[in-house]
PDB file of all heavy atoms in Angstrom:
ATOM      1  N   VAL U  30      83.288 108.998 116.040  1.00 87.00           N
ATOM      2  CA  VAL U  30      83.701 107.772 116.612  1.00 87.00           C
ATOM      3  C   VAL U  30      83.769 106.612 115.517  1.00 87.00           C
ATOM      4  O   VAL U  30      84.795 105.925 115.406  1.00 87.00           O
ATOM      5  CB  VAL U  30      82.781 107.277 117.799  1.00 87.00           C
ATOM      6  CG1 VAL U  30      83.002 105.887 118.125  1.00 87.00           C
ATOM      7  CG2 VAL U  30      82.916 108.259 118.954  1.00 87.00           C
ATOM      8  N   ILE U  31      82.709 106.657 114.756  1.00 89.00           N
ATOM      9  CA  ILE U  31      82.583 105.462 113.678  1.00 89.00           C
ATOM     10  C   ILE U  31      83.627 105.684 112.678  1.00 89.00           C
ATOM     11  O   ILE U  31      84.309 104.747 112.260  1.00 89.00           O
ATOM     12  CB  ILE U  31      81.247 105.581 113.190  1.00 89.00           C
ATOM     13  CG1 ILE U  31      80.219 105.052 114.152  1.00 89.00           C
ATOM     14  CG2 ILE U  31      81.135 104.627 111.767  1.00 89.00           C
ATOM     15  CD1 ILE U  31      78.780 105.363 113.801  1.00 89.00           C
ATOM     16  N   ALA U  32      83.913 106.920 112.192  1.00 88.00           N
ATOM     17  CA  ALA U  32      84.911 107.246 111.120  1.00 88.00           C
ATOM     18  C   ALA U  32      86.194 106.791 111.616  1.00 88.00           C
ATOM     19  O   ALA U  32      87.009 106.071 110.878  1.00 88.00           O
ATOM     20  CB  ALA U  32      84.863 108.746 110.762  1.00 88.00           C
ATOM     21  N   ILE U  33      86.593 107.187 112.818  1.00 86.00           N
ATOM     22  CA  ILE U  33      87.871 106.915 113.366  1.00 86.00           C
ATOM     23  C   ILE U  33      88.140 105.348 113.602  1.00 86.00           C
ATOM     24  O   ILE U  33      89.145 104.729 113.139  1.00 86.00           O
ATOM     25  CB  ILE U  33      88.165 107.599 114.660  1.00 86.00           C
ATOM     26  CG1 ILE U  33      88.411 109.154 114.314  1.00 86.00           C
ATOM     27  CG2 ILE U  33      89.424 107.102 115.423  1.00 86.00           C
ATOM     28  CD1 ILE U  33      88.698 110.061 115.415  1.00 86.00           C
ATOM     29  N   HIS U  34      87.010 104.715 114.128  1.00 82.00           N
ATOM     30  CA  HIS U  34      87.201 103.158 114.515  1.00 82.00           C
ATOM     31  C   HIS U  34      87.182 102.479 113.146  1.00 82.00           C
ATOM     32  O   HIS U  34      87.908 101.520 113.034  1.00 82.00           O
ATOM     33  CB  HIS U  34      86.014 102.838 115.300  1.00 82.00           C
ATOM     34  CG  HIS U  34      86.315 102.943 116.774  1.00 82.00           C
ATOM     35  ND1 HIS U  34      86.761 101.937 117.433  1.00 82.00           N
ATOM     36  CD2 HIS U  34      86.192 104.060 117.533  1.00 82.00           C
ATOM     37  CE1 HIS U  34      86.881 102.275 118.636  1.00 82.00           C
ATOM     38  NE2 HIS U  34      86.600 103.570 118.821  1.00 82.00           N
ATOM     39  N   ASN U  35      86.594 102.940 112.059  1.00 83.00           N
ATOM     40  CA  ASN U  35      86.599 102.191 110.845  1.00 83.00           C
ATOM     41  C   ASN U  35      88.042 102.289 110.198  1.00 83.00           C
ATOM     42  O   ASN U  35      88.415 101.345 109.431  1.00 83.00           O
ATOM     43  CB  ASN U  35      85.641 102.810 109.745  1.00 83.00           C
ATOM     44  CG  ASN U  35      84.119 102.395 110.082  1.00 83.00           C
ATOM     45  OD1 ASN U  35      83.912 101.487 110.760  1.00 83.00           O
ATOM     46  ND2 ASN U  35      83.265 103.105 109.506  1.00 83.00           N
ATOM     47  N   HIS U  36      88.826 103.316 110.556  1.00 79.00           N
ATOM     48  CA  HIS U  36      90.037 103.391 109.936  1.00 79.00           C
ATOM     49  C   HIS U  36      91.242 102.832 110.830  1.00 79.00           C
ATOM     50  O   HIS U  36      92.244 102.454 110.300  1.00 79.00           O
ATOM     51  CB  HIS U  36      90.505 104.892 109.681  1.00 79.00           C
ATOM     52  CG  HIS U  36      89.841 105.336 108.414  1.00 79.00           C
ATOM     53  ND1 HIS U  36      88.490 105.680 108.337  1.00 79.00           N
ATOM     54  CD2 HIS U  36      90.273 105.551 107.173  1.00 79.00           C
ATOM     55  CE1 HIS U  36      88.216 106.111 107.113  1.00 79.00           C
ATOM     56  NE2 HIS U  36      89.250 105.905 106.462  1.00 79.00           N
ATOM     57  N   ILE U  37      90.934 102.633 112.073  1.00 78.00           N
ATOM     58  CA  ILE U  37      91.998 102.080 112.984  1.00 78.00           C
ATOM     59  C   ILE U  37      91.652 100.673 113.475  1.00 78.00           C
ATOM     60  O   ILE U  37      92.312 100.082 114.375  1.00 78.00           O
ATOM     61  CB  ILE U  37      92.237 102.932 114.246  1.00 78.00           C
ATOM     62  CG1 ILE U  37      90.969 103.021 115.208  1.00 78.00           C
ATOM     63  CG2 ILE U  37      92.749 104.369 113.766  1.00 78.00           C
ATOM     64  CD1 ILE U  37      91.340 103.645 116.507  1.00 78.00           C
ATOM     65  N   VAL U  38      90.682 100.079 112.910  1.00 71.00           N
ATOM     66  CA  VAL U  38      90.183  98.690 113.272  1.00 71.00           C
ATOM     67  C   VAL U  38      91.344  97.718 113.366  1.00 71.00           C
ATOM     68  O   VAL U  38      91.342  96.959 114.351  1.00 71.00           O
ATOM     69  CB  VAL U  38      88.967  98.183 112.448  1.00 71.00           C
ATOM     70  CG1 VAL U  38      89.456  97.979 111.022  1.00 71.00           C
ATOM     71  CG2 VAL U  38      88.329  97.075 113.135  1.00 71.00           C
ATOM     72  N   ASP U  39      92.240  97.791 112.475  1.00 74.00           N
ATOM     73  CA  ASP U  39      93.417  96.854 112.443  1.00 74.00           C
ATOM     74  C   ASP U  39      94.408  97.166 113.493  1.00 74.00           C
ATOM     75  O   ASP U  39      95.241  96.263 113.816  1.00 74.00           O
ATOM     76  CB  ASP U  39      94.077  96.766 111.075  1.00 74.00           C
ATOM     77  CG  ASP U  39      93.074  96.140 109.986  1.00 74.00           C
ATOM     78  OD1 ASP U  39      92.220  95.305 110.354  1.00 74.00           O
ATOM     79  OD2 ASP U  39      93.194  96.538 108.887  1.00 74.00           O
ATOM     80  N   ASP U  40      94.433  98.497 113.977  1.00 75.00           N
ATOM     81  CA  ASP U  40      95.466  98.895 114.864  1.00 75.00           C
ATOM     82  C   ASP U  40      94.905  99.183 116.231  1.00 75.00           C
ATOM     83  O   ASP U  40      95.501  99.815 117.004  1.00 75.00           O
ATOM     84  CB  ASP U  40      96.110 100.168 114.332  1.00 75.00           C
ATOM     85  CG  ASP U  40      96.900  99.925 113.071  1.00 75.00           C
ATOM     86  OD1 ASP U  40      97.836  99.009 113.062  1.00 75.00           O
ATOM     87  OD2 ASP U  40      96.529 100.504 111.963  1.00 75.00           O
ATOM     88  N   ILE U  41      93.659  98.736 116.477  1.00 69.00           N
ATOM     89  CA  ILE U  41      92.988  99.160 117.738  1.00 69.00           C
ATOM     90  C   ILE U  41      93.689  98.628 118.917  1.00 69.00           C
ATOM     91  O   ILE U  41      93.566  99.207 119.980  1.00 69.00           O
ATOM     92  CB  ILE U  41      91.439  98.639 117.710  1.00 69.00           C
ATOM     93  CG1 ILE U  41      90.658  99.364 118.643  1.00 69.00           C
ATOM     94  CG2 ILE U  41      91.388  97.187 117.845  1.00 69.00           C
ATOM     95  CD1 ILE U  41      90.195 100.702 118.421  1.00 69.00           C
ATOM     96  N   ARG U  42      94.488  97.552 118.867  1.00 73.00           N
ATOM     97  CA  ARG U  42      95.147  97.016 119.968  1.00 73.00           C
ATOM     98  C   ARG U  42      96.506  97.707 120.242  1.00 73.00           C
ATOM     99  O   ARG U  42      97.215  97.403 121.279  1.00 73.00           O
ATOM    100  CB  ARG U  42      95.282  95.478 119.867  1.00 73.00           C
ATOM    101  CG  ARG U  42      93.912  94.782 119.822  1.00 73.00           C
ATOM    102  CD  ARG U  42      93.762  93.709 120.810  1.00 73.00           C
ATOM    103  NE  ARG U  42      92.593  92.969 120.706  1.00 73.00           N
ATOM    104  CZ  ARG U  42      91.391  93.266 120.959  1.00 73.00           C
ATOM    105  NH1 ARG U  42      91.162  94.455 121.526  1.00 73.00           N
ATOM    106  NH2 ARG U  42      90.340  92.511 120.841  1.00 73.00           N
ATOM    107  N   SER U  43      96.946  98.479 119.318  1.00 79.00           N
ATOM    108  CA  SER U  43      98.177  99.198 119.481  1.00 79.00           C
ATOM    109  C   SER U  43      98.004 100.245 120.522  1.00 79.00           C
ATOM    110  O   SER U  43      96.914 100.750 120.814  1.00 79.00           O
ATOM    111  CB  SER U  43      98.742  99.774 118.189  1.00 79.00           C
ATOM    112  OG  SER U  43      97.930 100.788 117.796  1.00 79.00           O
ATOM    113  N   ASP U  44      98.998 100.710 121.143  1.00 82.00           N
ATOM    114  CA  ASP U  44      98.863 101.922 122.165  1.00 82.00           C
ATOM    115  C   ASP U  44      98.291 103.121 121.509  1.00 82.00           C
ATOM    116  O   ASP U  44      97.384 103.598 122.101  1.00 82.00           O
ATOM    117  CB  ASP U  44     100.307 102.131 122.634  1.00 82.00           C
ATOM    118  CG  ASP U  44     100.265 103.297 123.703  1.00 82.00           C
ATOM    119  OD1 ASP U  44      99.486 103.107 124.702  1.00 82.00           O
ATOM    120  OD2 ASP U  44     101.015 104.244 123.593  1.00 82.00           O
ATOM    121  N   MET U  45      98.697 103.493 120.334  1.00 82.00           N
ATOM    122  CA  MET U  45      98.071 104.637 119.658  1.00 82.00           C
ATOM    123  C   MET U  45      96.630 104.363 119.339  1.00 82.00           C
ATOM    124  O   MET U  45      95.799 105.231 119.420  1.00 82.00           O
ATOM    125  CB  MET U  45      98.925 104.951 118.425  1.00 82.00           C
ATOM    126  CG  MET U  45      98.501 106.368 117.856  1.00 82.00           C
ATOM    127  SD  MET U  45      98.448 107.726 119.014  1.00 82.00           S
ATOM    128  CE  MET U  45     100.148 107.850 119.488  1.00 82.00           C
ATOM    129  N   GLY U  46      96.335 103.099 118.849  1.00 81.00           N
ATOM    130  CA  GLY U  46      94.917 102.911 118.415  1.00 81.00           C
ATOM    131  C   GLY U  46      93.965 102.971 119.703  1.00 81.00           C
ATOM    132  O   GLY U  46      92.950 103.455 119.767  1.00 81.00           O
ATOM    133  N   GLU U  47      94.508 102.462 120.804  1.00 85.00           N
ATOM    134  CA  GLU U  47      93.772 102.469 122.102  1.00 85.00           C
ATOM    135  C   GLU U  47      93.588 103.890 122.524  1.00 85.00           C
ATOM    136  O   GLU U  47      92.448 104.204 123.000  1.00 85.00           O
ATOM    137  CB  GLU U  47      94.473 101.670 123.313  1.00 85.00           C
ATOM    138  CG  GLU U  47      94.300 100.148 123.027  1.00 85.00           C
ATOM    139  CD  GLU U  47      95.006  99.384 124.210  1.00 85.00           C
ATOM    140  OE1 GLU U  47      95.325  99.935 125.208  1.00 85.00           O
ATOM    141  OE2 GLU U  47      95.354  98.187 123.961  1.00 85.00           O
ATOM    142  N   ARG U  48      94.587 104.737 122.480  1.00 85.00           N
ATOM    143  CA  ARG U  48      94.536 106.087 122.835  1.00 85.00           C
ATOM    144  C   ARG U  48      93.463 106.912 121.957  1.00 85.00           C
ATOM    145  O   ARG U  48      92.612 107.613 122.534  1.00 85.00           O
ATOM    146  CB  ARG U  48      95.805 106.823 122.737  1.00 85.00           C
ATOM    147  CG  ARG U  48      96.704 106.483 123.746  1.00 85.00           C
ATOM    148  CD  ARG U  48      98.028 107.058 123.642  1.00 85.00           C
ATOM    149  NE  ARG U  48      99.047 106.434 124.376  1.00 85.00           N
ATOM    150  CZ  ARG U  48      99.915 107.219 125.096  1.00 85.00           C
ATOM    151  NH1 ARG U  48      99.998 108.492 125.033  1.00 85.00           N
ATOM    152  NH2 ARG U  48     100.789 106.595 125.985  1.00 85.00           N
ATOM    153  N   LEU U  49      93.418 106.633 120.691  1.00 84.00           N
ATOM    154  CA  LEU U  49      92.492 107.267 119.796  1.00 84.00           C
ATOM    155  C   LEU U  49      91.062 106.811 120.197  1.00 84.00           C
ATOM    156  O   LEU U  49      90.196 107.501 120.240  1.00 84.00           O
ATOM    157  CB  LEU U  49      92.787 106.946 118.366  1.00 84.00           C
ATOM    158  CG  LEU U  49      93.875 107.746 117.668  1.00 84.00           C
ATOM    159  CD1 LEU U  49      94.215 107.185 116.230  1.00 84.00           C
ATOM    160  CD2 LEU U  49      93.366 109.194 117.453  1.00 84.00           C
ATOM    161  N   SER U  50      90.948 105.535 120.330  1.00 85.00           N
ATOM    162  CA  SER U  50      89.672 104.927 120.601  1.00 85.00           C
ATOM    163  C   SER U  50      89.059 105.414 121.869  1.00 85.00           C
ATOM    164  O   SER U  50      87.941 105.895 121.902  1.00 85.00           O
ATOM    165  CB  SER U  50      89.788 103.449 120.591  1.00 85.00           C
ATOM    166  OG  SER U  50      88.663 102.777 121.075  1.00 85.00           O
ATOM    167  N   SER U  51      89.803 105.310 122.944  1.00 88.00           N
ATOM    168  CA  SER U  51      89.267 105.740 124.255  1.00 88.00           C
ATOM    169  C   SER U  51      88.952 107.289 124.230  1.00 88.00           C
ATOM    170  O   SER U  51      88.092 107.631 124.786  1.00 88.00           O
ATOM    171  CB  SER U  51      90.258 105.357 125.416  1.00 88.00           C
ATOM    172  OG  SER U  51      91.450 105.937 125.271  1.00 88.00           O
ATOM    173  N   SER U  52      89.854 108.052 123.602  1.00 88.00           N
ATOM    174  CA  SER U  52      89.729 109.470 123.539  1.00 88.00           C
ATOM    175  C   SER U  52      88.355 109.852 122.834  1.00 88.00           C
ATOM    176  O   SER U  52      87.540 110.697 123.339  1.00 88.00           O
ATOM    177  CB  SER U  52      90.840 110.155 122.913  1.00 88.00           C
ATOM    178  OG  SER U  52      90.756 111.521 122.968  1.00 88.00           O
ATOM    179  N   VAL U  53      88.179 109.285 121.724  1.00 86.00           N
ATOM    180  CA  VAL U  53      87.020 109.659 120.855  1.00 86.00           C
ATOM    181  C   VAL U  53      85.611 109.243 121.539  1.00 86.00           C
ATOM    182  O   VAL U  53      84.760 109.912 121.580  1.00 86.00           O
ATOM    183  CB  VAL U  53      87.057 109.269 119.376  1.00 86.00           C
ATOM    184  CG1 VAL U  53      86.953 107.729 119.256  1.00 86.00           C
ATOM    185  CG2 VAL U  53      86.145 110.034 118.549  1.00 86.00           C
ATOM    186  N   ILE U  54      85.751 108.019 122.142  1.00 89.00           N
ATOM    187  CA  ILE U  54      84.592 107.515 122.812  1.00 89.00           C
ATOM    188  C   ILE U  54      84.225 108.316 124.009  1.00 89.00           C
ATOM    189  O   ILE U  54      83.056 108.573 124.395  1.00 89.00           O
ATOM    190  CB  ILE U  54      84.718 106.077 123.229  1.00 89.00           C
ATOM    191  CG1 ILE U  54      84.709 105.166 121.887  1.00 89.00           C
ATOM    192  CG2 ILE U  54      83.697 105.523 124.171  1.00 89.00           C
ATOM    193  CD1 ILE U  54      85.038 103.683 122.119  1.00 89.00           C
ATOM    194  N   ALA U  55      85.233 108.778 124.844  1.00 90.00           N
ATOM    195  CA  ALA U  55      85.076 109.616 126.034  1.00 90.00           C
ATOM    196  C   ALA U  55      84.416 110.882 125.717  1.00 90.00           C
ATOM    197  O   ALA U  55      83.541 111.391 126.430  1.00 90.00           O
ATOM    198  CB  ALA U  55      86.516 109.913 126.649  1.00 90.00           C
ATOM    199  N   ILE U  56      84.655 111.417 124.587  1.00 89.00           N
ATOM    200  CA  ILE U  56      84.067 112.722 124.200  1.00 89.00           C
ATOM    201  C   ILE U  56      82.513 112.459 124.029  1.00 89.00           C
ATOM    202  O   ILE U  56      81.710 113.169 124.597  1.00 89.00           O
ATOM    203  CB  ILE U  56      84.545 113.212 122.764  1.00 89.00           C
ATOM    204  CG1 ILE U  56      85.971 113.679 122.967  1.00 89.00           C
ATOM    205  CG2 ILE U  56      83.747 114.382 122.274  1.00 89.00           C
ATOM    206  CD1 ILE U  56      86.839 113.858 121.774  1.00 89.00           C
ATOM    207  N   SER U  57      82.152 111.450 123.243  1.00 88.00           N
ATOM    208  CA  SER U  57      80.743 111.197 123.069  1.00 88.00           C
ATOM    209  C   SER U  57      79.973 110.772 124.455  1.00 88.00           C
ATOM    210  O   SER U  57      78.832 111.205 124.545  1.00 88.00           O
ATOM    211  CB  SER U  57      80.492 110.022 122.073  1.00 88.00           C
ATOM    212  OG  SER U  57      80.846 110.460 120.838  1.00 88.00           O
ATOM    213  N   CYS U  58      80.723 110.085 125.293  1.00 89.00           N
ATOM    214  CA  CYS U  58      80.098 109.783 126.565  1.00 89.00           C
ATOM    215  C   CYS U  58      79.882 110.967 127.486  1.00 89.00           C
ATOM    216  O   CYS U  58      78.819 111.147 128.026  1.00 89.00           O
ATOM    217  CB  CYS U  58      81.098 108.747 127.371  1.00 89.00           C
ATOM    218  SG  CYS U  58      81.037 107.105 126.568  1.00 89.00           S
ATOM    219  N   ASN U  59      80.846 111.923 127.382  1.00 87.00           N
ATOM    220  CA  ASN U  59      80.655 113.147 128.305  1.00 87.00           C
ATOM    221  C   ASN U  59      79.458 113.929 127.704  1.00 87.00           C
ATOM    222  O   ASN U  59      78.751 114.635 128.277  1.00 87.00           O
ATOM    223  CB  ASN U  59      81.955 113.880 128.375  1.00 87.00           C
ATOM    224  CG  ASN U  59      82.768 113.326 129.572  1.00 87.00           C
ATOM    225  OD1 ASN U  59      82.244 113.375 130.726  1.00 87.00           O
ATOM    226  ND2 ASN U  59      83.952 112.946 129.368  1.00 87.00           N
ATOM    227  N   LEU U  60      79.441 114.003 126.305  1.00 86.00           N
ATOM    228  CA  LEU U  60      78.364 114.714 125.740  1.00 86.00           C
ATOM    229  C   LEU U  60      76.930 114.203 126.043  1.00 86.00           C
ATOM    230  O   LEU U  60      75.966 114.880 126.356  1.00 86.00           O
ATOM    231  CB  LEU U  60      78.490 114.921 124.229  1.00 86.00           C
ATOM    232  CG  LEU U  60      79.676 115.730 123.775  1.00 86.00           C
ATOM    233  CD1 LEU U  60      79.991 115.584 122.290  1.00 86.00           C
ATOM    234  CD2 LEU U  60      79.398 117.319 124.142  1.00 86.00           C
ATOM    235  N   ALA U  61      76.901 112.831 126.038  1.00 86.00           N
ATOM    236  CA  ALA U  61      75.737 112.196 126.336  1.00 86.00           C
ATOM    237  C   ALA U  61      75.322 112.413 127.874  1.00 86.00           C
ATOM    238  O   ALA U  61      74.239 112.613 128.155  1.00 86.00           O
ATOM    239  CB  ALA U  61      75.810 110.722 126.110  1.00 86.00           C
ATOM    240  N   LYS U  62      76.331 112.385 128.750  1.00 85.00           N
ATOM    241  CA  LYS U  62      76.216 112.674 130.118  1.00 85.00           C
ATOM    242  C   LYS U  62      75.642 114.061 130.369  1.00 85.00           C
ATOM    243  O   LYS U  62      74.719 114.373 131.142  1.00 85.00           O
ATOM    244  CB  LYS U  62      77.460 112.462 130.886  1.00 85.00           C
ATOM    245  CG  LYS U  62      77.337 112.581 132.388  1.00 85.00           C
ATOM    246  CD  LYS U  62      78.793 112.700 133.024  1.00 85.00           C
ATOM    247  CE  LYS U  62      79.099 111.313 133.578  1.00 85.00           C
ATOM    248  NZ  LYS U  62      80.327 111.486 134.417  1.00 85.00           N
TER     249      LYS U  62
END
């Protein structure tokens, strides 16, 4: 999550940036759950 977010920080608001962000965070959330 950190690695990807560090690289897409400038593009986080783009459609692709949002997809990457939400996808990688969802993985960690489901593992935590």
Side-chain angles (χ1 to χ4, degrees):
V30 168
I31 293 167
I33 289 175
H34 273 265
N35 283 344
H36 282 80
I37 65 167
V38 71
D39 292 333
D40 298 300
I41 197 76
R42 300 232 187 284
S43 70
D44 182 51
M45 188 53 63
E47 285 181 18
R48 288 177 191 221
L49 278 171
S50 175
S51 61
S52 182
V53 74
I54 289 172
I56 293 164
S57 291
C58 289
N59 275 302
L60 290 172
K62 183 190 259 186

